[in-house]
Amino acid sequence: MKFTSGYWMVRKEITPLYAVEYADHRIIEEIGAKQLVIYAPASHIEKRGDQLNLGMLTIYLSSPAEDVIKVSVRHFEGAAYRGPFIDVQAEDAASAQAQVQIEETQTELRFRSGHTTAVIDKRPGMWGIRFYDDNRLLTESGYRNMAYMKNNDTGKNYVLEQLALDIDEYVYGLGERFTPFVKNGQTVDIWNEDGGTASEITYKNVPFYISNKGYGILVDNEGDVSFEIASEKVERVQFSVEGERLDYYLINGTTPKGTVSKYTALTGKPALPPAWSFGLWLTTSFTTNYDEATTSAFIQGMADRDIPLHVFHFDCFWMEGYEWCNFTWDPKTFPDPKEMLARYHEKGLKICVWINPYIGQKSPLFREGMAHGYLLKKTNGDVWQTDLWQAGAAVVDFTNPAAAAWYQGKLKALLDMGVDCFKTDFGERIPVRDIAYYDGSDPVKMHNYYPYLYNKAVFELLEKERGRGEAVLFARSATVGGQQFPVHWGGDCSASYPSMAETLRGGLSLACAGFGFWSHDISGFENTAPADVYKRWCQFGILSSHSRLHGSDSYRVPWMFDEEACEVLRTFVKLKCALMPYLYRQAVLSHQEGVPVMRPMFMEFPSDRACEPLDKQYMLGDSLLVAPVFQASGEVEYYVPEGKWYNLLTKKTVDGGKWQKETHDYFSLPLLVRPGSILAVGAQTDRPDYDFYEDVCLLIYLPQDHSTAQTEVTDLHGKTVMRVRAAREGCEIRVQVDCEKGSYQAEALGVEGLTVVESNV
């Protein structure tokens, strides 16, 4: 939201109140936590009378974790401040408080947490807060930046902050955004909507951005936060919220990767998905005509073509139309679902079914939910309903614990029948006008927060019934903290190369908020892709953390496109299964450290300026670079960081520090091994869940003399069972393997004449 007209003028309907100078401060200790409270009047004070009839901002500084500073800007503190609020999970509050130091000089106040310091200027008329990483300036708020704005036309009030952007500073993130990857110059409103992948609106809005300078800003407000990223003042990132208070966290991890790790320490790290979920998912598609004969034919068709299949998903019409959701199989289409699921399990498949949080009026659950008060209500006591999506649809009120338990009970019956996981669709179409939640939550803030409660309820049921490490969703909508409940997918894309590229762009933006596991509809949801796009998207889709064939009104089995599509899909699914020892170790690291498996190049190479704008390639873990092909010609242009890299598919080395332009057929693409890597490759190519440590092949890539590498291999529970170290001296690579169980062989990649020598102790 813009409040000014150019640099000097404020819009005619706006009355501003700026923090102008420091007036006083206090130090408050509550439950062992220190807060620095600063009072900043809206005008310079020269004499006593200047203090009269004057507004003031009150600013609280605190620290929930080391190197994290929370700033709370308040105008009228007596105004109601309702939740929901971001669930901040301070890892070690006592340790964080021990790091807090507050110092005062004649001209400054300094609030320090770890290596991060907020410096408040006390000089008359010189208001400002500067944030430092030790002595390195990160950003600052100064003259006419922190403000309270009154709109005289609407009667609405806003609090805003403007933080400085440095020369060549870029901003990333703010959720799964399909607009340009670098957010400078954009206006972004944090408001979940069902808008596909081809516009500025999105399903997963997260009021958190990171800078290439290595810090991040999280706005602690679940409502409609508005960001102006170098788009109102080109030297500033502005963010504003309606009301009397604005809270934000400055998170300093020194590097983008370190900051994402600290952010997820605050908001929750991703759960570790089961290994089977990394395999190939196939769905019925959305509005296609299917029954048990159809789904069985698809499953058998994949087996006949030797294409490993691991999860089968039933989309909406597993339930009868008009009754979404009744959580009951349509008897006309699936007369004996329990027996059908048992047969599919015997084939080694896991089963997923589509759900959403809406209850159509024709569903028997509507009357049941209405009778018990489980459905979202208007302020007059009526159940809120809409004809959008399903006739007379209502929304489950997950702020009511009894409603959440009721909803979970319906899903438990499906789990007992043989369902393994759920696609938690929707969660964006949540009303805000004349709405009364069970727990009194602010309806505007609940709009974005709703999918957090929805996915949390389903995920917790899966953890309870299937056990930790076996729970997995396929979720579309999300907000802060949603990364705890993987997996998320990119929503409704189109069957074209531009949509394929915008899908990746959205996934990389989402990765900046610590979403460790992400997928998308291979070959696009809307329309039907030509065989060319299908085959290229299969490469990209299988080399994502999670891989699903899904569409709208046509099937996505490869033989519907051409026979070569079957070969391409088979090749890459088997490749992914073989890479599972490496990929699952990366998944464990994502779970432990909060760094996404698929990550943008700038996150992995923060000192390489050429990586900063890249959005058509990514790192798959810390050792593999993937550059999908987005051209029918097979041409791909991509950037390689410094060093000599190795293409795992073509067996050719690639010189880094420059751009590469290549042409690939459907069975290859740039899949580069980073120098100084050990790639653990498994012995099985037909499934993703096996004993990774049995007959594992350790592919060691040390193109530079005197270089070293290390890695680990885990079991299916994420426990490390094999530690590997390698060092090159001349033409010899010495390998040490500390192995609790399993067997292995080691090979050198990419350099002729190297000998691998074991040096175990």
Side-chain angles (χ1 to χ4, degrees), residues 690-759:
Y690 54 93
D691 291 332
F692 304 136
Y693 47 81
E694 293 292 354
D695 298 321
V696 63
C697 185
L698 305 171
L699 301 180
I700 304 166
Y701 185 50
L702 296 176
Q704 190 172 7
D705 200 6
H706 310 299
S707 58
T708 62
Q710 60 184 25
T711 193
E712 297 179 352
V713 179
T714 73
D715 63 15
L716 288 173
H717 303 290
K719 178 186 175 184
T720 298
V721 295
M722 189 179 289
R723 293 176 177 83
V724 185
R725 298 177 231 6
R728 177 180 170 184
E729 294 296 333
C731 292
E732 189 175 83
I733 295 179
R734 291 196 166 270
V735 180
Q736 179 179 326
V737 181
D738 298 325
C739 189
E740 292 182 18
K741 54 184 175 180
S743 56
Y744 63 91
Q745 58 178 326
E747 298 178 12
L749 283 182
V751 181
E752 291 185 7
L754 287 183
T755 303
V756 177
V757 179
E758 292 189 30
S759 58

Side-chain angles (χ1 to χ4, degrees), residues 647-679:
N647 191 314
L648 195 63
L649 300 178
T650 66
K651 314 301 181 187
K652 296 178 181 178
T653 56
V654 179
D655 290 328
K658 59 184 180 181
W659 286 83
Q660 300 287 340
K661 190 170 185 178
E662 301 168 355
T663 301
H664 289 265
D665 63 24
Y666 296 118
F667 297 92
S668 72
L669 77 165
L671 176 61
L672 306 188
V673 181
R674 184 179 186 173
S677 296
I678 302 175
L679 208 62

Side-chain angles (χ1 to χ4, degrees), residues 12 227 259 329 464 643 650 727 744 760:
K12 61 181 181 179
F227 286 86
T259 291
W329 294 82
K464 179 181 177 183
T650 66
Y744 63 91
N760 287 354

